[in-house]
Amino acid sequence: MNAASPAPRRPRVRAPELIGKGGWLNTGGKELSLAELRGRVVILDFWTFCCVNCLHVLDELRELEEKHRDTTVIIGVHSPKFVHEAEHQAVVDAVERYGVHHPVLDDPELATWKQYAVRAWPTLVVIDPEGYVVAQHAGEGHAHALEALVTELEAEHGAKGTLRRGDGPYVAPEPVATDLRFPGKALALPGGRFLVSDTTRHQLVELAEDGETVVRRVGTGERGLSDEPVRFSEPQGLELLPDGRVIVADTVNHALRAYDPETHEVTTVAGTGRQWWQGAATSGPAREVALSSPWDVAWFADRLWIAMAGAHQLWTYDPATGTVEVAAGTTNEGLVDGPAREAWFAQPSGLAAAGDRLWIADSETSALRYVERDGDGFAVRTAVGAGLFDFGHRDGDAQQALFQHPLGVTALPDGSVAVSDTYNHALRRFDPATGEVSTLATDLREPSDAVLVPDSDEILVVESARHRLTRLRLPEEAVRVESVAHRTQRAATEVAPGELELAVIFEAPAGQKLDTRYGPSTRLLVSATPPELLASGAGAGTDLVRRVVLADGVGEGVLHVSAMAASCDDDPANEYPACHVHQQDWGVPVRVVAGGAGRLPLVLAGLDG
């Protein structure tokens, strides 16, 4: 497709109705329909709360939502990946946790997802004031394109008399008074007190030795990035540096902050406040290199390691030199072990150093992994976990044990590790000596971290969705639970055996063109689980259309497709045009059947003609 050619006339496709068994949130109890939204520009945001890319899009939409509040209605369509995400209360919690200030349809059975033929989280669908679908965008980085399209639709339908201005249907829920609100991580401070990242309130909270009494709050409680006054944006991980300062993973600010427990001062030590994108610097002075949703931090091998959830990597920060660099991961999403720079992660969200290993809660693969020295470098290994689509609650041998989206990991005194098994509402244990997984405690509510109580046999668990720290005695015997295994409930796409055309659809936004100044402006990476699914066609390339061959004898699997396209303002007079990166990863379950499709279209931006 020639992105510089005149934009084709938009097809007229009537938008399907919005259906969700879980009902509506943020509407004051009212059900919405597209008919009553006629006259407004409607943007559907298909998201699920486990997905860091979806959280990035929530943040990208905030400015557009405010600027076009009187003409545009954003509606979140919550479409779950994990079993826990299909629970209505979990969606209610997530809407508050992540500051979603627009109506949300809870669609636990993916009914609306199927009606709109969505294939990836996140996906944005734009509906014009007359009720027709005019654009679809998958992944991140589309805020500028949406801004241009909304402005165009306002002008077009304002002239036609089909635009209706006024207040939208959003109704804010009643605030709830608690000392903590969706806390993320906790840290034991010297002297016996505890520090907690109070994520939804954008603060740090220091608690007394009892883990309950509030000693002080750090930060104004308003979302922002400033050292004076102190403002955070959904902070998460905490770690003590050897010099006594606490490093804070300031997640939505894409920054690391340093907090001094003695003076209570906060300084910014890494990150620019902007999100890292493909092609940006991956090493250099810490304040000059962008980060991407740092979720946790841990001191290991004389460096601070960063769980860079937004880029599916591990980075390091060296306080002595004030520099950051990539330490592990390729940015490809999945579960691949090996040399650190070649490994694949999927939203690493928890870190804990223990001796010669750095333990990792790799949340989207529901896996427990670790980094260890390997010759002159490091290697990544998996202790528990099977891949992006296998999860559950199963104890026993690590080779067949299952977690469900764990967010935290804690080193225990006996050499084992405790796993905050978030979506199973449990605290689990992995013993490297025996290779066994057991359950330490259940009936927790979205535990996201745990910290040992000094000089005791107790552990404080961050019960994020109960807004508290819960003190437990480490049990001598495991809790017996009924094993359950799950796969994501998305229906498999039926494809024909043999050759299959993978077509990533990308149309540059109006007024932009593909950026070819420094070489190819697109990238496509294709792989499969199991790898044997593809007889040929796997690997990287620059063409957004790829013909792959499905192997004989492999009846089903998952096609992993990662696409990137860069576009810039199409104005020859502008020496420094604004450029944007559009990217998305798809994991498409497929079933090989006679008579199945011979083409698999994946929309990055635009519509499949």
Side-chain angles (χ1 to χ4, degrees):
M1 179 178 298
N2 183 357
S5 62
R9 183 178 180 84
R10 286 195 293 266
R12 302 282 284 176
V13 179
R14 177 67 72 179
E17 193 49 83
L18 306 177
I19 307 166
K21 189 175 180 180
W24 289 89
L25 287 69
N26 284 354
T27 63
K30 180 181 179 181
E31 293 192 3
L32 301 182
S33 69
L34 288 178
E36 61 191 283
L37 294 173
R38 200 64 52 81
R40 314 297 290 271
V41 179
V42 177
I43 300 175
L44 303 182
D45 176 17
F46 289 86
W47 70 299
T48 188
F49 63 78
C50 73
C51 162
V52 71
N53 310 92
C54 299
L55 304 186
H56 290 166
V57 167
L58 285 176
D59 205 49
E60 288 178 2
L61 291 175
R62 295 186 200 279
E63 184 177 346
L64 182 144
E65 191 168 23
E66 182 59 35
K67 182 177 179 180
H68 299 274
R69 186 171 295 280
D70 67 333
T71 63
T72 302
V73 176
I74 296 175
I75 292 177
V77 182
H78 189 267
S79 313
K81 170 186 174 180
F82 289 97
V83 170
H84 169 61
E85 293 174 306
E87 298 175 14
H88 181 69
Q89 185 57 48
V91 181
V92 173
D93 289 343
V95 167
E96 180 188 351
R97 180 195 299 269
Y98 297 117
V100 180
H101 295 159
H102 50 248
V104 173
L105 175 64
D106 180 11
D107 183 17
E109 297 178 346
L110 303 180
T112 296
W113 166 289
K114 295 170 186 173
Q115 286 292 311
Y116 282 82
V118 174
R119 296 187 186 276
W121 297 279
T123 290
L124 298 162
V125 175
V126 182
I127 302 171
D128 73 11
E130 295 180 283
Y132 292 94
V133 175
V134 293
Q136 181 172 324
H137 302 271
E140 308 175 45
H142 302 293
H144 65 289
L146 291 173
E147 167 68 32
L149 179 56
V150 167
T151 301
E152 178 187 336
L153 291 172
E154 286 175 342
E156 176 185 336
H157 290 273
K160 290 174 64 176
T162 50
L163 183 70
R164 178 166 56 90
R165 295 180 180 270
D167 292 335
Y170 170 68
V171 178
E174 290 293 324
V176 181
T178 53
D179 286 335
L180 302 174
R181 205 68 192 163
F182 298 103
K185 306 288 186 180
L187 176 71
L189 293 172
R193 290 179 175 177
F194 298 93
L195 190 66
V196 183
S197 53
D198 197 17
T199 304
T200 297
R201 293 207 175 117
H202 316 297
Q203 292 180 317
L204 308 181
V205 177
E206 189 174 327
L207 301 176
E209 289 85 345
D210 60 7
E212 299 178 14
T213 305
V214 175
V215 175
R216 68 173 49 80
R217 297 181 182 275
V218 182
T220 65
E222 298 175 340
R223 185 190 296 272
L225 175 56
S226 63
D227 294 339
E228 183 56 46
V230 177
R231 291 193 177 96
F232 299 100
S233 188
E234 299 182 28
Q236 287 282 348
L238 306 166
E239 178 67 311
L240 272 171
L241 291 181
D243 64 12
R245 293 180 299 162
V246 176
I247 293 294
V248 182
D250 195 5
T251 305
V252 177
N253 277 329
H254 310 294
L256 298 184
R257 318 288 292 281
Y259 167 63
D260 189 327
E262 298 297 325
T263 66
H264 314 303
E265 293 179 343
V266 171
T267 54
T268 302
V269 298
T272 64
R274 298 182 300 276
Q275 184 184 344
W276 181 89
W277 287 101
Q278 290 284 355
T282 55
S283 65
R287 290 298 309 276
E288 299 175 15
V289 177
L291 309 180
S292 183
S293 294
W295 209 275
D296 204 4
V297 283
W299 188 260
F300 174 70
D302 300 320
R303 296 286 190 278
L304 185 85
W305 289 63
I306 309 163
M308 203 71 78
H312 312 301
Q313 290 179 311
L314 304 181
W315 287 40
T316 59
Y317 164 63
D318 184 353
T321 61
T323 57
V324 293
E325 64 177 340
V326 172
T330 64
T331 75
N332 297 323
E333 185 179 14
L335 195 156
V336 177
D337 290 341
R341 292 298 186 98
E342 300 173 17
W344 292 22
F345 296 96
Q347 218 167 297
S349 302
L351 299 175
D356 59 358
R357 286 183 176 178
L358 176 69
W359 293 97
I360 307 152
D362 200 29
S363 62
E364 278 294 286
T365 54
S366 297
L368 174 65
R369 307 174 73 185
Y370 59 92
V371 171
E372 64 181 1
R373 288 197 180 277
D374 184 23
D376 294 332
F378 294 94
V380 176
R381 319 285 187 207
T382 297
V384 183
L388 282 165
F389 301 99
D390 295 279
F391 54 91
H393 191 152
R394 181 192 288 153
D395 288 333
D397 182 76
Q399 296 300 313
Q400 51 85 51
L402 294 171
F403 299 124
Q404 186 180 179
H405 198 79
L407 289 177
V409 59
T410 307
L412 299 180
D414 64 358
S416 66
V417 290
V419 178
S420 295
D421 194 5
T422 309
Y423 288 2
N424 279 327
H425 310 300
L427 188 68
R428 311 283 293 284
R429 175 179 180 263
F430 169 68
D431 186 351
T434 64
E436 292 287 312
V437 174
S438 57
T439 298
L440 298 177
T442 57
D443 194 31
L444 303 167
R445 187 68 186 171
E446 291 193 16
S448 55
D449 195 21
V451 58
L452 292 170
V453 178
D455 304 318
S456 77
D457 58 355
E458 295 178 328
I459 191 169
L460 277 180
V461 179
V462 180
E463 275 198 274
S464 189
R466 283 200 178 115
H467 319 293
R468 70 188 188 193
L469 271 59
T470 298
R471 187 179 295 258
L472 301 174
R473 185 178 297 276
L474 285 170
E476 294 183 4
E477 294 185 4
V479 177
R480 293 185 64 84
V481 295
E482 182 178 351
S483 294
V484 59
H486 300 290
R487 296 208 89 209
T488 183
Q489 62 174 310
R490 292 163 59 197
T493 298
E494 294 188 344
V495 294
E499 190 173 276
L500 174 69
E501 180 184 279
L502 294 177
V504 174
I505 313 302
F506 178 74
E507 297 174 6
Q512 294 199 338
K513 64 178 181 178
L514 290 174
D515 178 20
T516 57
R517 292 172 299 164
Y518 306 108
S521 60
T522 55
R523 186 190 72 168
L524 184 67
L525 178 68
V526 178
S527 61
T529 302
E532 296 77 23
L533 176 64
L534 289 178
S536 66
T542 59
D543 195 335
L544 292 183
V545 177
R546 174 91 54 91
R547 293 189 181 276
V548 302
V549 176
L550 304 175
D552 294 337
V554 182
E556 61 181 7
V558 178
L559 289 174
H560 304 285
V561 181
S562 177
M564 183 275 289
S567 62
C568 293
D569 292 343
D570 188 11
D571 182 359
N574 186 353
E575 185 178 357
Y576 303 104
C579 297
H580 307 273
V581 175
H582 317 255
Q583 62 183 42
Q584 174 60 16
D585 296 330
W586 291 268
V588 184
V590 295
R591 183 178 300 112
V592 183
V593 296
R599 178 176 180 268
L600 180 60
L602 301 170
V603 177
L604 179 59
L607 292 172
D608 182 20

